């Protein structure tokens, strides 16, 4: 199996490439960063012709590269460039080399930040920020490419965690680990997440000789934690006591905004994923139990 992976130096990309190489797949790693044996490539700036040369004779193209986190003062149009325009270029290259499958890693956030019931693949897109809008645009464009002789698979993970995690999950690890009291005692709404190892397992499982022309796959771990449950679980794995206290949601939102963060009120609402189609279609299930995956993440955190 010859595969091409964009975003190969990223949090998920590195692990996925290592996992596939352990399966004896031939992996070409593409990244803006210089990687051993692989020349750097920035998909936002190279032509389709250059993309074609990089993709080579790959059977499957995994497109993970993109812009995920916005920093203060960053131009929102960069998300459109890096998540939408780049997807178009990489897809066109995959078509030209006659790859049989294009796997696009999107996000369940294209459907919204919170839900009254688990998000289903068929739900209407309601992206809420520049990042999720750019992913939604890419999904819509890919859907319009049906019938071009290549199977298109869109994978929508929720929050992804594991050793090396950054952003909000790392903030939470630090807060629990350094015994910082958190105002989430009443944040008891379930929210889906997925361990990096489980997401990589799904990405491998979705590669098939005769994949559907277009398929949207959702995924999640075997347990959905509320924020308060997650804090307690992490504290237990660290051998600490969870320091949770109740606070008005409005006050938490104001403090979060002053700190330059998104509204924290969404953490008090459900954001679950319905992955029944994925499990039934691929006979897939997350191989790493949630607590084990969290424990591995905590073990990594201790070494920092």
């Amino acid at each position: 199996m010859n595969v091409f992976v964009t975003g190969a130096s990223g949090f998920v990309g590195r692990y996925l490439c290592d996992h596939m190489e352990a399966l004896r797949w031939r992996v070409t790693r593409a990244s803006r960063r210089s990687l051993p044996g692989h020349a750097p490539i920035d998909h936002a700036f190279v032509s389709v012709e250059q993309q074609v040369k990089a993709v080579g004779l790959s059977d499957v193209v995994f497109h993970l590269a993109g812009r995920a986190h916005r920093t203060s003062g960053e131009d929102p149009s960069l998300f459109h460039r890096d998540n939408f325009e780049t997807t178009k270029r990489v897809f066109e290259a995959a078509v030209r080399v006659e790859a049989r499958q294009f796997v696009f890693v999107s996000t369940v956030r294209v459907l919204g930040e919170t839900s009254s019931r688990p998000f289903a693949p068929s739900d209407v897109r309601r992206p809420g920020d520049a990042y999720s809008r750019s992913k939604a645009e890419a999904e819509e464009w890919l859907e319009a490419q049906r019938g071009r002789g290549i199977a298109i698979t869109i994978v929508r993970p929720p929050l992804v965690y594991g050793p090396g995690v950054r952003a909000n999950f790392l903030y939470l690890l630090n807060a629990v680990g350094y015994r910082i009291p958190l105002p989430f005692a009443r944040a008891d709404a379930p929210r889906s997440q997925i361990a990096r190892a489980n997401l990589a397992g799904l990405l491998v499982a979705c590669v098939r000789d005769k994949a559907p022309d277009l398929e949207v796959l959702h995924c999640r771990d075997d347990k959905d934690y509320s924020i308060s449950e997650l804090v307690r679980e992490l504290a237990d794995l660290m051998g600490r006591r969870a320091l949770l206290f109740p606070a008005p949601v409005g006050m938490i939102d104001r403090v979060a905004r002053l700190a330059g963060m998104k509204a924290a009120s969404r953490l008090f609402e459900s954001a679950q994923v319905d992955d029944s189609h994925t499990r039934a279609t691929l006979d897939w299930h997350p191989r790493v139990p949630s607590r084990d995956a969290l424990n591995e993440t905590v073990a990594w955190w201790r070494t920092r």
Side-chain angles (χ1 to χ4, degrees):
M1 176 75 69
N2 295 313
V3 300
F4 181 81
V5 182
T6 71
S9 65
F11 173 61
V12 176
R14 286 194 314 273
Y15 186 95
L16 174 63
C17 289
D18 290 345
H19 180 54
M20 291 191 296
E21 286 177 345
L23 297 173
R24 305 297 183 186
W25 291 14
R26 290 180 291 276
V27 180
T28 300
R29 303 185 185 218
S31 171
R32 287 192 295 264
R33 301 176 186 175
S34 181
L35 297 173
H38 301 278
I41 178 172
D42 192 332
H43 302 282
F45 296 101
V46 300
S47 66
V48 173
E49 288 70 22
Q50 290 170 300
Q51 304 269 15
V52 168
K53 184 178 179 180
V55 174
L57 299 177
S58 299
D59 302 304
V60 180
V61 173
F62 290 92
H63 183 43
L64 282 70
R67 182 176 296 269
H69 303 294
R70 184 178 178 183
T71 57
S72 178
E74 189 173 45
D75 183 353
S77 68
L78 295 178
F79 287 98
H80 179 82
R81 182 195 72 188
D82 293 344
N83 295 339
F84 175 62
E85 296 295 343
T86 293
T87 300
K88 290 170 63 177
R89 288 195 186 94
V90 177
F91 178 82
E92 290 295 346
V95 171
R96 290 197 193 182
V97 303
E98 298 183 346
R100 59 179 172 80
Q101 189 172 1
F102 183 84
V103 181
F104 174 57
V105 178
S106 183
T107 171
V108 76
R109 285 172 54 191
V110 299
L111 302 179
E113 298 284 353
T114 61
S115 64
S116 58
R117 58 166 177 74
F119 288 120
S122 59
D123 285 345
V124 175
R125 298 182 186 89
R126 292 187 175 88
D129 60 10
Y131 165 69
S132 54
R133 280 194 295 274
S134 64
K135 289 287 192 177
E137 288 175 333
E139 286 192 12
E140 291 169 0
W141 185 86
L142 286 171
E143 288 178 354
Q145 308 311 306
R146 299 176 70 171
R148 296 190 62 186
I150 184 171
I152 301 168
T153 305
I154 297 171
V155 178
R156 291 176 179 158
L159 181 147
V160 184
Y161 68 95
V165 69
R166 294 289 184 264
N168 292 338
F169 204 96
L170 179 57
Y171 298 152
L172 191 63
L173 285 167
N174 287 334
V176 175
Y178 297 133
R179 297 183 172 87
I180 299 172
L182 295 168
F184 299 128
R186 294 174 182 158
D188 56 4
R191 302 176 65 83
S192 298
Q193 64 282 313
I194 188 166
R196 179 177 60 178
N198 289 331
L199 175 57
L202 171 60
L203 292 174
V204 167
C206 76
V207 174
R208 288 166 284 174
D209 289 336
K210 293 184 179 180
D213 192 23
L214 174 69
E215 186 168 41
V216 179
L217 301 174
H218 284 187
C219 53
R220 52 181 283 274
D221 276 348
D222 59 359
K223 177 178 172 59
D224 291 343
Y225 288 90
S226 68
I227 296 300
S228 60
E229 287 176 327
L230 183 57
V231 168
R232 292 188 179 94
E233 189 81 284
L234 292 173
D236 183 60
L237 291 168
M238 292 178 180
R240 289 162 168 71
R241 183 169 63 88
L243 300 179
L244 289 164
F245 66 92
V249 175
M251 183 191 76
I252 296 173
D253 257 354
R254 287 192 293 273
V255 172
R257 292 183 188 280
L258 288 173
M261 301 168 64
K262 286 185 177 181
S265 58
R266 62 190 176 87
L267 299 179
F268 290 76
E269 299 181 57
S270 294
Q272 292 181 283
V273 173
D274 178 358
D275 64 345
S276 57
H277 168 74
T278 302
R279 297 192 184 214
T281 302
L282 300 180
D283 191 25
W284 172 85
H285 67 279
R287 63 179 180 82
V288 183
S290 297
R291 183 174 171 86
D292 291 351
L294 289 172
N295 192 39
E296 184 182 8
T297 307
V298 167
W300 163 80
W301 178 85
R302 292 184 188 277
T303 66
R304 294 179 68 252

